[in-house]
Amino acid sequence: GADYICLFESSGMYHGHDIVNLAANIDGQHLDAVWGSRRLSRHDMKASYRFRYKHHAINGMISALGSHALSAAYLFRHGRYISDTLSGLRLVKTVHVQNVAQHINHPCFNQFLLSELLKSGNKVFELPVEFLPISPEKVKRTSISEGLRSLWVIFWPHKQRVD
């Protein structure tokens, strides 16, 4: 019976208090989602890339380009630029999560969810959230193949198999 569902990645990279900040933005507005974005602060993003890719500059460049490619794909496909398509902190109307629930364990779940939200012009608000990068040895990053699969989901979400 809840109106919204909070999707929160609990790896330790996100702060729980940001959930309150996301929820505060739905009061009195007709938003379908409040999307926590790590990319709204250029300074934070630079610090994150320096930490994650300090010994692998080329991998960092590929990661940054891939992230921007996903954002640009939403702009091209749905007319909306989403800064952080891979965010692990989202507050979304329950109905939208239910519509893509069959993909909840899919590595591209965010793309299914964002495509669901944006295909009908639903209102999504991006809000900066605190983010603590974790060492690459401790967390799995999005691979190039997952990034390409994410692009496929953005353009053809109905052509994916249910995991």
Coordinates of all heavy atoms in Angstrom, one line a residue, residues 63-143:
S63 N 35.4 4.7 -18.2 CA 34.3 4.7 -17.2 C 33.6 6.0 -17.4 O 32.3 6.1 -17.4 CB 34.8 4.5 -15.8 OG 33.7 4.7 -14.9
A64 N 34.3 7.1 -17.4 CA 33.6 8.4 -17.5 C 32.9 8.6 -18.9 O 31.8 9.1 -18.9 CB 34.7 9.5 -17.4
L65 N 33.5 8.1 -19.9 CA 32.9 8.2 -21.2 C 31.6 7.3 -21.3 O 30.6 7.7 -21.8 CB 33.9 7.8 -22.4 CG 35.0 8.8 -22.7 CD1 36.0 8.2 -23.6 CD2 34.4 10.1 -23.2
G66 N 31.7 6.1 -20.7 CA 30.6 5.2 -20.7 C 29.4 5.8 -19.9 O 28.3 5.7 -20.3
S67 N 29.7 6.4 -18.8 CA 28.7 7.1 -17.9 C 28.0 8.2 -18.7 O 26.8 8.3 -18.7 CB 29.3 7.6 -16.7 OG 28.3 8.2 -15.8
H68 N 28.8 9.0 -19.4 CA 28.2 10.1 -20.2 C 27.4 9.5 -21.4 O 26.4 10.1 -21.8 CB 29.3 11.0 -20.7 CG 29.8 11.9 -19.6 ND1 29.1 12.9 -18.9 CD2 31.0 11.9 -19.0 CE1 29.8 13.5 -18.0 NE2 31.0 12.9 -18.0
A69 N 27.9 8.4 -21.9 CA 27.1 7.8 -23.1 C 25.7 7.3 -22.6 O 24.8 7.5 -23.3 CB 27.9 6.6 -23.6
L70 N 25.7 6.7 -21.4 CA 24.4 6.3 -20.9 C 23.4 7.5 -20.7 O 22.3 7.5 -21.1 CB 24.5 5.6 -19.6 CG 25.2 4.2 -19.7 CD1 25.4 3.6 -18.3 CD2 24.4 3.2 -20.6
S71 N 24.0 8.6 -20.1 CA 23.2 9.8 -19.9 C 22.7 10.4 -21.3 O 21.6 10.8 -21.4 CB 24.0 10.9 -19.2 OG 24.3 10.4 -17.9
A72 N 23.6 10.4 -22.3 CA 23.3 10.9 -23.6 C 22.2 10.1 -24.3 O 21.4 10.5 -25.0 CB 24.5 11.1 -24.4
A73 N 22.3 8.7 -24.0 CA 21.3 7.8 -24.6 C 19.9 8.2 -24.1 O 18.9 8.1 -24.9 CB 21.7 6.4 -24.3
Y74 N 19.7 8.5 -22.8 CA 18.4 8.9 -22.3 C 18.0 10.2 -23.0 O 16.8 10.4 -23.3 CB 18.4 9.0 -20.8 CG 18.3 7.6 -20.2 CD1 19.4 7.1 -19.6 CD2 17.1 6.9 -20.2 CE1 19.4 5.8 -19.0 CE2 17.1 5.6 -19.6 CZ 18.2 5.1 -19.0 OH 18.1 3.9 -18.5
L75 N 18.9 11.1 -23.2 CA 18.6 12.4 -23.8 C 18.1 12.1 -25.2 O 17.0 12.7 -25.6 CB 19.8 13.3 -23.8 CG 19.6 14.7 -24.4 CD1 18.5 15.5 -23.7 CD2 20.9 15.5 -24.4
F76 N 18.8 11.3 -25.9 CA 18.4 11.0 -27.3 C 17.1 10.2 -27.4 O 16.2 10.5 -28.2 CB 19.5 10.2 -28.0 CG 19.3 9.8 -29.4 CD1 19.4 10.8 -30.4 CD2 18.9 8.5 -29.8 CE1 19.1 10.5 -31.7 CE2 18.6 8.2 -31.1 CZ 18.7 9.2 -32.1
R77 N 16.9 9.2 -26.6 CA 15.8 8.3 -26.6 C 14.5 8.9 -26.0 O 13.4 8.7 -26.5 CB 16.1 7.0 -25.9 CG 15.0 6.0 -25.8 CD 14.8 5.3 -27.1 NE 13.9 4.2 -27.0 CZ 12.6 4.2 -27.2 NH1 12.0 5.4 -27.5 NH2 11.8 3.1 -27.1
H78 N 14.7 9.6 -24.9 CA 13.5 10.1 -24.1 C 13.4 11.6 -24.0 O 12.5 12.1 -23.3 CB 13.5 9.4 -22.7 CG 13.3 7.9 -22.8 ND1 12.2 7.3 -23.1 CD2 14.2 7.0 -22.5 CE1 12.3 6.0 -23.1 NE2 13.6 5.8 -22.7
G79 N 14.5 12.3 -24.5 CA 14.5 13.8 -24.4 C 14.8 14.3 -23.0 O 14.5 15.4 -22.6
R80 N 15.4 13.4 -22.1 CA 15.7 13.8 -20.8 C 17.1 13.4 -20.4 O 17.5 12.2 -20.6 CB 14.7 13.2 -19.8 CG 15.0 13.4 -18.3 CD 14.8 14.8 -17.9 NE 15.5 15.1 -16.7 CZ 14.9 14.9 -15.5 NH1 13.7 14.5 -15.3 NH2 15.6 15.2 -14.4
Y81 N 17.9 14.3 -19.9 CA 19.3 14.0 -19.5 C 19.3 13.6 -18.1 O 18.8 14.3 -17.2 CB 20.2 15.2 -19.7 CG 21.7 14.9 -19.5 CD1 22.5 14.3 -20.5 CD2 22.3 15.1 -18.2 CE1 23.8 14.1 -20.3 CE2 23.6 14.8 -18.0 CZ 24.4 14.3 -19.0 OH 25.7 14.0 -18.8
I82 N 19.7 12.4 -17.7 CA 19.9 11.9 -16.4 C 21.4 11.8 -16.1 O 22.1 11.0 -16.7 CB 19.2 10.5 -16.2 CG1 17.7 10.6 -16.5 CG2 19.4 10.0 -14.8 CD1 16.9 11.4 -15.6
S83 N 21.8 12.5 -15.1 CA 23.3 12.6 -14.8 C 23.8 11.3 -14.4 O 24.9 10.9 -14.8 CB 23.5 13.7 -13.8 OG 23.2 14.9 -14.2
D84 N 23.1 10.6 -13.5 CA 23.7 9.4 -12.8 C 22.7 8.2 -13.1 O 21.9 7.9 -12.2 CB 23.9 9.7 -11.4 CG 24.6 8.5 -10.6 OD1 25.0 7.5 -11.3 OD2 24.8 8.6 -9.4
T85 N 22.9 7.6 -14.2 CA 21.9 6.5 -14.5 C 22.2 5.3 -13.7 O 21.4 4.4 -13.6 CB 22.1 6.1 -16.0 OG1 23.4 5.6 -16.3 CG2 21.8 7.4 -16.9
L86 N 23.4 5.2 -13.1 CA 23.7 4.0 -12.3 C 23.6 4.2 -10.8 O 24.1 3.4 -10.0 CB 25.2 3.6 -12.6 CG 25.4 3.3 -14.1 CD1 26.9 3.0 -14.4 CD2 24.6 2.1 -14.6
S87 N 22.9 5.2 -10.4 CA 22.7 5.5 -9.0 C 22.2 4.3 -8.2 O 21.4 3.6 -8.6 CB 21.8 6.7 -8.8 OG 21.6 7.0 -7.4
G88 N 22.7 4.2 -6.9 CA 22.2 3.2 -6.1 C 21.2 3.7 -5.0 O 20.9 3.0 -4.1
L89 N 20.7 4.9 -5.2 CA 19.8 5.5 -4.2 C 18.7 6.2 -5.0 O 18.9 7.2 -5.7 CB 20.5 6.5 -3.3 CG 19.7 7.2 -2.3 CD1 19.0 6.2 -1.3 CD2 20.6 8.1 -1.4
R90 N 17.5 5.6 -5.0 CA 16.3 6.1 -5.7 C 15.1 5.9 -4.9 O 14.9 5.0 -4.1 CB 16.1 5.2 -7.0 CG 17.1 5.2 -8.0 CD 18.2 4.1 -7.7 NE 17.9 2.7 -8.0 CZ 18.5 1.7 -7.4 NH1 19.4 1.9 -6.6 NH2 18.2 0.5 -7.7
L91 N 14.2 6.9 -5.0 CA 12.8 6.9 -4.4 C 11.9 7.0 -5.5 O 11.8 8.0 -6.3 CB 12.7 8.0 -3.4 CG 11.5 8.0 -2.5 CD1 11.5 6.8 -1.6 CD2 11.4 9.3 -1.8
V92 N 11.1 5.9 -5.7 CA 10.3 5.8 -7.0 C 8.8 5.4 -6.6 O 8.6 4.6 -5.7 CB 10.9 4.7 -7.9 CG1 10.1 4.6 -9.2 CG2 12.4 5.0 -8.2
K93 N 7.9 5.9 -7.3 CA 6.5 5.5 -7.1 C 6.4 4.0 -7.3 O 7.0 3.4 -8.2 CB 5.6 6.2 -8.1 CG 5.1 7.5 -7.7 CD 4.0 8.1 -8.5 CE 3.5 9.4 -8.0 NZ 2.5 10.0 -8.8
T94 N 5.7 3.4 -6.4 CA 5.6 1.9 -6.4 C 5.2 1.3 -7.7 O 5.7 0.3 -8.1 CB 4.6 1.5 -5.3 OG1 5.0 2.1 -4.0 CG2 4.5 0.0 -5.1
V95 N 4.2 1.9 -8.4 CA 3.7 1.4 -9.6 C 4.8 1.2 -10.7 O 4.8 0.2 -11.4 CB 2.6 2.2 -10.2 CG1 3.0 3.6 -10.6 CG2 1.9 1.5 -11.3
H96 N 5.8 2.1 -10.7 CA 6.8 2.0 -11.7 C 7.8 0.8 -11.4 O 8.3 0.1 -12.3 CB 7.6 3.3 -11.8 CG 6.8 4.4 -12.2 ND1 6.1 4.5 -13.4 CD2 6.5 5.6 -11.6 CE1 5.4 5.6 -13.5 NE2 5.6 6.3 -12.4
V97 N 8.1 0.6 -10.1 CA 8.9 -0.5 -9.7 C 8.2 -1.8 -10.0 O 8.8 -2.8 -10.5 CB 9.3 -0.4 -8.2 CG1 10.1 -1.6 -7.8 CG2 10.1 0.9 -8.0
Q98 N 6.9 -1.9 -9.7 CA 6.1 -3.1 -10.0 C 6.1 -3.4 -11.5 O 6.2 -4.6 -11.9 CB 4.7 -2.9 -9.5 CG 4.6 -2.9 -8.0 CD 3.2 -2.5 -7.5 OE1 2.4 -1.8 -8.2 NE2 2.9 -2.9 -6.3
N99 N 6.1 -2.4 -12.3 CA 6.1 -2.6 -13.8 C 7.4 -3.2 -14.3 O 7.4 -3.8 -15.4 CB 5.8 -1.3 -14.5 CG 4.4 -0.8 -14.4 OD1 3.5 -1.6 -14.0 ND2 4.1 0.4 -14.7
V100 N 8.5 -3.1 -13.6 CA 9.7 -3.7 -14.0 C 10.3 -4.7 -13.0 O 11.4 -5.1 -13.0 CB 10.8 -2.6 -14.3 CG1 10.4 -1.8 -15.6 CG2 11.1 -1.7 -13.1
A101 N 9.4 -5.1 -12.1 CA 9.9 -6.0 -11.0 C 10.5 -7.3 -11.5 O 11.4 -7.8 -10.8 CB 8.7 -6.3 -10.0
Q102 N 10.1 -7.8 -12.6 CA 10.7 -9.0 -13.1 C 12.1 -8.9 -13.4 O 12.8 -9.9 -13.6 CB 9.9 -9.5 -14.4 CG 10.1 -8.7 -15.6 CD 9.1 -7.5 -15.8 OE1 8.5 -7.0 -14.8 NE2 9.0 -7.0 -17.0
H103 N 12.6 -7.6 -13.5 CA 14.1 -7.4 -13.8 C 14.9 -6.9 -12.6 O 16.0 -6.5 -12.7 CB 14.2 -6.3 -14.9 CG 13.5 -6.6 -16.1 ND1 13.9 -7.6 -17.0 CD2 12.4 -6.1 -16.7 CE1 13.1 -7.7 -18.0 NE2 12.2 -6.8 -17.9
I104 N 14.3 -7.1 -11.4 CA 14.9 -6.5 -10.2 C 16.3 -7.0 -9.9 O 17.2 -6.3 -9.4 CB 14.0 -6.8 -8.9 CG1 14.5 -5.9 -7.8 CG2 14.0 -8.2 -8.5 CD1 13.7 -4.6 -7.6
N105 N 16.6 -8.3 -10.3 CA 18.0 -8.8 -10.1 C 18.9 -8.7 -11.4 O 20.0 -9.2 -11.4 CB 17.9 -10.3 -9.7 CG 17.3 -10.4 -8.3 OD1 17.6 -9.6 -7.4 ND2 16.4 -11.3 -8.1
H106 N 18.4 -8.1 -12.4 CA 19.1 -7.9 -13.6 C 20.2 -6.8 -13.4 O 20.0 -5.8 -12.8 CB 18.1 -7.5 -14.7 CG 18.7 -7.6 -16.1 ND1 19.6 -6.7 -16.6 CD2 18.4 -8.4 -17.1 CE1 19.9 -7.0 -17.9 NE2 19.2 -8.1 -18.2
P107 N 21.4 -7.0 -14.0 CA 22.5 -6.0 -13.8 C 22.1 -4.7 -14.4 O 22.7 -3.7 -14.0 CB 23.7 -6.6 -14.6 CG 23.3 -8.0 -14.9 CD 21.8 -8.2 -14.7
C108 N 21.1 -4.6 -15.3 CA 20.7 -3.4 -15.9 C 19.4 -2.9 -15.3 O 18.6 -2.1 -16.0 CB 20.6 -3.5 -17.4 SG 22.2 -4.0 -18.2
F109 N 19.1 -3.2 -14.1 CA 17.8 -2.8 -13.5 C 17.5 -1.3 -13.6 O 16.4 -0.9 -13.9 CB 17.7 -3.3 -12.1 CG 16.4 -2.9 -11.4 CD1 15.2 -3.5 -11.8 CD2 16.4 -1.9 -10.4 CE1 14.0 -3.1 -11.3 CE2 15.2 -1.5 -9.9 CZ 14.0 -2.1 -10.3
N110 N 18.5 -0.5 -13.3 CA 18.3 0.9 -13.4 C 17.9 1.4 -14.7 O 17.0 2.3 -14.9 CB 19.6 1.7 -13.0 CG 19.7 2.0 -11.5 OD1 18.9 1.5 -10.7 ND2 20.6 2.8 -11.1
Q111 N 18.4 0.7 -15.8 CA 18.0 1.1 -17.1 C 16.5 0.7 -17.4 O 15.8 1.4 -18.1 CB 18.9 0.5 -18.2 CG 20.2 1.3 -18.4 CD 21.0 1.5 -17.1 OE1 21.3 0.5 -16.4 NE2 21.4 2.7 -16.8
F112 N 16.1 -0.5 -16.9 CA 14.7 -0.8 -17.0 C 13.8 0.2 -16.3 O 12.8 0.6 -16.8 CB 14.5 -2.3 -16.5 CG 15.0 -3.4 -17.4 CD1 16.1 -4.1 -17.1 CD2 14.3 -3.7 -18.5 CE1 16.5 -5.1 -17.9 CE2 14.7 -4.7 -19.4 CZ 15.8 -5.4 -19.1
L113 N 14.3 0.5 -15.1 CA 13.5 1.4 -14.3 C 13.4 2.8 -14.9 O 12.3 3.4 -15.0 CB 14.0 1.5 -12.9 CG 13.3 2.3 -11.9 CD1 11.8 1.9 -11.8 CD2 13.9 2.2 -10.5
L114 N 14.5 3.4 -15.3 CA 14.5 4.7 -15.9 C 13.8 4.7 -17.2 O 13.1 5.7 -17.5 CB 16.0 5.2 -16.2 CG 16.7 5.9 -15.0 CD1 18.1 6.1 -15.3 CD2 16.0 7.2 -14.6
S115 N 13.9 3.7 -18.0 CA 13.2 3.6 -19.3 C 11.7 3.6 -19.0 O 10.9 4.2 -19.7 CB 13.6 2.4 -20.1 OG 14.9 2.5 -20.5
E116 N 11.3 2.8 -18.0 CA 9.9 2.8 -17.6 C 9.4 4.2 -17.2 O 8.3 4.6 -17.5 CB 9.7 1.8 -16.4 CG 8.4 1.9 -15.7 CD 7.2 1.5 -16.4 OE1 7.3 0.8 -17.4 OE2 6.1 2.0 -16.0
L117 N 10.2 4.9 -16.4 CA 9.8 6.2 -15.9 C 9.8 7.2 -17.0 O 8.8 8.0 -17.1 CB 10.9 6.7 -14.9 CG 10.8 6.1 -13.5 CD1 12.0 6.3 -12.7 CD2 9.6 6.6 -12.8
L118 N 10.7 7.2 -17.9 CA 10.8 8.3 -18.9 C 10.0 8.1 -20.2 O 9.7 9.0 -20.9 CB 12.3 8.5 -19.3 CG 13.2 8.9 -18.1 CD1 14.7 9.0 -18.6 CD2 12.7 10.2 -17.5
K119 N 9.6 6.8 -20.4 CA 8.9 6.6 -21.7 C 7.6 7.3 -21.8 O 7.1 7.7 -22.8 CB 8.7 5.1 -21.9 CG 7.6 4.5 -21.0 CD 7.5 3.0 -21.3 CE 6.4 2.4 -20.3 NZ 6.3 1.0 -20.5
S120 N 7.0 7.6 -20.7 CA 5.7 8.3 -20.6 C 5.8 9.7 -20.1 O 4.8 10.3 -19.8 CB 4.7 7.5 -19.8 OG 4.5 6.2 -20.2
G121 N 7.0 10.2 -20.1 CA 7.2 11.6 -19.7 C 7.0 11.8 -18.2 O 6.6 12.9 -17.7
N122 N 7.1 10.8 -17.4 CA 7.0 10.9 -15.9 C 8.0 11.9 -15.4 O 9.1 12.0 -15.9 CB 7.1 9.6 -15.2 CG 5.9 8.7 -15.6 OD1 4.7 9.1 -15.5 ND2 6.2 7.5 -16.2
K123 N 7.7 12.5 -14.2 CA 8.6 13.5 -13.6 C 9.6 12.8 -12.7 O 9.3 12.2 -11.8 CB 7.7 14.5 -12.9 CG 6.9 15.3 -13.7 CD 6.1 16.3 -12.9 CE 5.2 17.1 -13.9 NZ 4.4 18.1 -13.1
V124 N 10.9 13.0 -13.1 CA 12.0 12.5 -12.3 C 12.8 13.7 -11.9 O 13.2 14.6 -12.7 CB 12.8 11.5 -13.1 CG1 14.0 11.1 -12.3 CG2 12.0 10.4 -13.6
F125 N 13.2 13.8 -10.6 CA 14.0 14.9 -10.1 C 15.3 14.3 -9.6 O 15.3 13.3 -8.8 CB 13.2 15.6 -8.9 CG 14.0 16.7 -8.3 CD1 14.4 17.8 -9.0 CD2 14.4 16.6 -6.9 CE1 15.1 18.8 -8.3 CE2 15.1 17.6 -6.3 CZ 15.4 18.7 -7.0
E126 N 16.4 14.9 -10.1 CA 17.7 14.4 -9.6 C 18.2 15.3 -8.5 O 18.1 16.5 -8.5 CB 18.7 14.5 -10.7 CG 18.8 13.2 -11.5 CD 20.0 13.2 -12.4 OE1 20.0 13.9 -13.5 OE2 21.0 12.5 -12.2
L127 N 18.7 14.6 -7.4 CA 19.1 15.3 -6.2 C 20.5 14.8 -5.9 O 20.8 13.6 -5.9 CB 18.1 15.0 -5.1 CG 18.4 15.7 -3.8 CD1 17.9 17.2 -3.9 CD2 17.6 15.0 -2.7
P128 N 21.4 15.8 -5.6 CA 22.8 15.3 -5.2 C 22.7 14.5 -3.9 O 22.0 14.8 -3.0 CB 23.5 16.6 -5.0 CG 22.6 17.7 -5.2 CD 21.3 17.2 -5.6
V129 N 23.5 13.4 -3.9 CA 23.6 12.6 -2.7 C 25.1 12.5 -2.4 O 26.0 12.6 -3.3 CB 23.0 11.2 -2.8 CG1 21.5 11.4 -3.0 CG2 23.6 10.4 -4.0
E130 N 25.4 12.2 -1.1 CA 26.8 12.0 -0.7 C 27.2 10.6 -1.2 O 26.4 9.7 -1.2 CB 26.9 12.0 0.8 CG 26.9 13.4 1.4 CD 27.2 13.5 2.8 OE1 28.3 13.0 3.2 OE2 26.3 13.9 3.6
F131 N 28.4 10.5 -1.5 CA 28.9 9.2 -2.1 C 30.3 9.0 -1.6 O 31.2 9.9 -1.7 CB 28.8 9.3 -3.6 CG 29.4 8.1 -4.3 CD1 28.8 6.9 -4.3 CD2 30.7 8.2 -5.0 CE1 29.4 5.8 -5.0 CE2 31.2 7.1 -5.6 CZ 30.5 5.9 -5.6
L132 N 30.6 7.8 -1.1 CA 31.9 7.5 -0.6 C 32.4 6.3 -1.5 O 32.0 5.2 -1.4 CB 31.9 7.0 0.8 CG 31.4 8.0 1.9 CD1 31.2 7.3 3.2 CD2 32.4 9.1 2.0
P133 N 33.4 6.6 -2.4 CA 33.8 5.6 -3.3 C 34.5 4.5 -2.5 O 35.2 4.7 -1.5 CB 34.8 6.3 -4.2 CG 35.2 7.5 -3.5 CD 34.0 7.9 -2.6
I134 N 34.3 3.3 -2.9 CA 34.9 2.1 -2.3 C 36.0 1.6 -3.2 O 35.9 1.6 -4.4 CB 33.9 1.0 -2.0 CG1 32.9 1.5 -0.9 CG2 34.5 -0.3 -1.5 CD1 31.8 0.5 -0.5
S135 N 37.0 1.1 -2.6 CA 38.2 0.5 -3.4 C 37.7 -0.5 -4.4 O 36.8 -1.3 -4.2 CB 39.1 -0.2 -2.4 OG 40.1 -0.9 -3.1
P136 N 38.2 -0.4 -5.6 CA 37.8 -1.3 -6.7 C 38.0 -2.8 -6.3 O 37.3 -3.7 -6.9 CB 38.8 -1.0 -7.9 CG 39.2 0.4 -7.6 CD 39.2 0.5 -6.1
E137 N 38.9 -3.1 -5.4 CA 39.0 -4.5 -4.9 C 37.8 -5.0 -4.1 O 37.6 -6.2 -3.9 CB 40.3 -4.6 -4.1 CG 41.6 -4.4 -4.8 CD 41.9 -2.9 -4.9 OE1 41.6 -2.1 -4.0 OE2 42.5 -2.5 -6.0
K138 N 37.0 -4.0 -3.6 CA 35.9 -4.4 -2.7 C 34.6 -4.3 -3.3 O 33.6 -4.8 -2.8 CB 35.9 -3.5 -1.5 CG 37.1 -3.7 -0.6 CD 37.1 -2.8 0.6 CE 38.3 -3.0 1.5 NZ 38.3 -2.2 2.7
V139 N 34.5 -3.7 -4.5 CA 33.1 -3.6 -5.1 C 33.3 -3.8 -6.6 O 34.3 -3.5 -7.3 CB 32.6 -2.2 -4.8 CG1 33.3 -1.1 -5.5 CG2 31.1 -2.1 -5.2
K140 N 32.2 -4.4 -7.2 CA 32.2 -4.7 -8.6 C 31.7 -3.5 -9.4 O 30.7 -2.9 -9.1 CB 31.3 -5.9 -8.9 CG 31.2 -6.3 -10.4 CD 30.2 -7.4 -10.6 CE 30.0 -7.7 -12.0 NZ 29.6 -6.6 -12.9
R141 N 32.5 -3.1 -10.3 CA 32.1 -1.9 -11.2 C 31.4 -2.4 -12.4 O 31.5 -3.6 -12.8 CB 33.4 -1.2 -11.6 CG 34.2 -0.7 -10.5 CD 33.6 0.5 -9.9 NE 34.4 0.9 -8.7 CZ 33.9 1.5 -7.6 NH1 32.6 1.7 -7.5 NH2 34.7 1.8 -6.7
T142 N 30.7 -1.5 -13.1 CA 30.0 -1.8 -14.3 C 31.1 -2.1 -15.4 O 31.9 -1.3 -15.6 CB 29.1 -0.7 -14.7 OG1 28.2 -0.4 -13.7 CG2 28.4 -1.0 -16.0
S143 N 31.0 -3.2 -16.0 CA 31.9 -3.6 -17.1 C 31.5 -3.0 -18.4 O 30.4 -2.5 -18.6 CB 32.0 -5.1 -17.2 OG 30.8 -5.6 -17.8

